[in-house]
Structure formats: structure tokens, C-alpha cells
Amino acid sequence: MNEREYIPNVNHLSVITAMILLAYALTAFIQFPTRTVSLQLPGFLLSFQFNFMTIISIVVAVMAAAGADWLIGAHPHLQGQRRFHHWMIPAFTALVISVPLNSLRVSSSWWVVFALGGLLLMGVFIAEYISVDPTDIRFPVARVSLTAMSFALFLFLLIALRGAGLRLYLVLAIVLPAVALVTAKTLHLRLGGWHLAWTGGISLVVLQMSTVLFYLPFKPLQYGLLLIGLTYGLINLAGSIEEKRSPKVIWIEPLLLMLIFGALAILF
């Protein structure tokens, strides 16, 4: 099979990326007043703020998922495989890119983040396309790249959430789907198939730990590193158990990962 057949259509890739970047660029020139939606519950008030970037964030996530499906659908080795899981990381990437764009003022820094976000999106689309075929010689690189990018995006999201000073219910509402997505995708890339029990269990543990850390005086980077270390360690443990490694050594790597991230959190 010709190697060119394993590269996504350049025209399609350019169109998808350009449309997403155009949607982001609109936020630099169009501003709407922030609106607050409140829901009064017995003894508790839920309050949500929406602005133009909130709408754009949702739109670009849908566009990224649809764009990934369009690219993946043209892969010669797809052969009727399900492809919804190839939407996950592109949509997550597009959503997380909107976080710094929403917090920064329109300046040279904003445009640098804008350009880097576009390059990151293209890299994710290409990696997802390659990951369709496990026999592709670049599959291991694509798998590692997607895993690394998903954890990096999750770390950035955690840091942004901590720094934004949001209330606990908003933090948990964002952390839960994010950790579930990262866990499900990482296990799928490593093991194949969907391990919903592990995904649910790991998500629950991380959610509980994020609640505990929320009330402790950790800085945003420390908060993110501790939760990333826990998530990475638990996913590694789940993968080792599913691969039926020796029980005597199965705990070593996850424990080392958690200790390393914990040490980094202390140092920073």
C-alpha cells in the first residue's frame, strides 16, 4: 500500500483547521456581555456565567469532532470500524485551547496561543488518522503522542480551573468528564476496547481527590500535578492488571509515577 494513503487529505485538514481557527478569531473582534444563569435549589444557589467564548468553545469542540470524523472516514483501512472514539481528543483539544484564549486579552500573547493552538490541532488530527491502523509503522508514535497530548491538555485544564477560583460544583462538573475522557482514551490506545469499569472507578477516585485538594492551600500547578500523577498512576495500574503482569511488580510503576508527580508538586 502506498505510504501517501496513510496521510490525511491535506485539503480536508486545512479546511477543518482553518474553520476552527476562524471561529476562535471571531472572539477577538466580537464581544457580547456576560450573562449569568442562576438556579435556586433548597438551601443552595447554582450560578453559571455565559459569554461569546462559551458558545464558541462548544461550537469548536463539535467542529473538531466532526472534522476528525470526516478525515478518519477517508482512511483506506477503516473497513467499517467504529470511529466515534477518534472524536474525543480533537474535541477535547479544541475545548481546552479556548481556555487561555478566553482568559488572555487580545495582544501578541493571544495570537501566539492562537497560532500554537492551530498547530496542536493539526498534530492531533494527524495522530488520530494514523492511529486508525495498528499495523502502520507510525502507530506507536501516534499512540504515545495522543496519550501525551491528552495528559498535557488535562494538566493545563486543571491548572486553569484552580487558577480561575471557580466554586467546587463547577470544578467537579468539568473534571469528571475530562478525567473520564482521558482514562477511556488512554486505556483504549493501550489495551484496545472499552474498559468502562476501570474508567468509572478511576474517574470516581480522581473526583474524590480533587474535592479534597480543592479545600487545601495548593497552588494551581501543584493541584494539577497531584491529580495528573494520581490519574496516570491509576491508569497504568489498570493497564498492568489487564495485561496480567506479575502481582509482585504490578504496583511499582504506578507508585513511582505518583511519587514523581508528588515530588514535582512539592518542588514547584
Side-chain angles (χ1 to χ4, degrees):
M1 185 69 68
N2 194 320
E3 185 70 15
R4 288 177 62 90
E5 294 181 334
Y6 296 95
I7 299 175
N9 187 291
V10 176
N11 293 329
H12 292 177
L13 181 62
S14 301
V15 169
I16 295 165
T17 307
M19 290 179 63
I20 293 173
L21 292 180
L22 178 60
Y24 283 136
L26 290 176
T27 62
F29 306 102
I30 301 176
Q31 295 293 331
F32 290 107
T34 301
R35 298 184 179 274
T36 302
V37 178
S38 300
L39 177 62
Q40 180 65 59
L41 299 175
F44 194 78
L45 177 64
L46 293 177
S47 180
F48 305 92
Q49 289 187 337
F50 296 90
N51 55 25
F52 186 58
M53 179 55 86
T54 305
I55 300 172
I56 291 297
S57 300
I58 298 172
V59 170
V60 295
V62 174
M63 290 172 62
D69 186 74
W70 187 29
L71 285 176
I72 299 302
H75 197 288
H77 281 197
L78 186 62
Q79 297 178 346
Q81 299 177 33
R82 294 180 179 179
R83 53 189 191 231
F84 68 89
H85 56 91
H86 293 291
W87 310 344
M88 299 165 70
I89 300 302
F92 188 44
T93 304
L95 198 60
V96 173
I97 290 172
S98 66
V99 175
L101 295 180
N102 189 28
S103 58
L104 293 172
R105 297 180 60 183
V106 179
S107 60
S108 57
S109 299
W110 192 95
W111 289 106
V112 168
V113 173
F114 175 82
L116 292 176
L119 292 175
L120 179 61
L121 266 174
M122 291 185 70
V124 169
F125 283 134
I126 293 171
E128 283 288 359
Y129 186 89
I130 294 173
S131 70
V132 171
D133 182 14
T135 63
D136 193 308
I137 59 173
R138 298 161 299 175
F139 178 80
V141 176
R143 180 176 60 183
V144 172
S145 299
L146 287 172
T147 301
M149 283 187 283
S150 63
F151 275 101
L153 291 167
F154 186 39
L155 175 61
F156 183 84
L157 180 63
L158 291 171
I159 294 172
L161 288 175
R162 183 68 170 183
L166 300 176
R167 297 180 65 179
L168 178 60
Y169 67 86
L170 288 175
V171 172
L172 298 182
I174 297 173
V175 169
L176 179 59
V179 69
L181 183 150
V182 171
T183 301
K185 183 65 176 181
T186 303
L187 289 176
H188 184 271
L189 286 169
R190 178 172 175 173
L191 304 172
W194 297 103
H195 300 270
L196 299 181
W198 282 115
T199 299
I202 292 173
S203 300
L204 182 59
V205 172
V206 175
L207 194 69
Q208 291 174 332
M209 182 57 67
S210 66
T211 304
V212 174
L213 296 179
F214 181 85
Y215 292 105
L216 297 177
F218 288 112
K219 295 180 179 179
L221 181 57
Q222 294 175 313
Y223 179 82
L225 287 172
L226 288 172
L227 287 181
I228 280 290
L230 177 63
T231 305
Y232 196 13
L234 290 176
I235 291 175
N236 189 279
L237 176 62
S240 298
I241 292 174
E242 290 295 326
E243 291 170 346
K244 304 186 184 305
R245 295 187 178 181
S246 172
K248 296 180 180 180
V249 299
I250 205 171
W251 302 93
I252 296 177
E253 189 174 353
L255 183 59
L256 284 176
L257 288 170
M258 294 181 191
L259 290 176
I260 289 172
F261 279 98
L264 289 174
I266 294 173
L267 290 174
F268 290 107

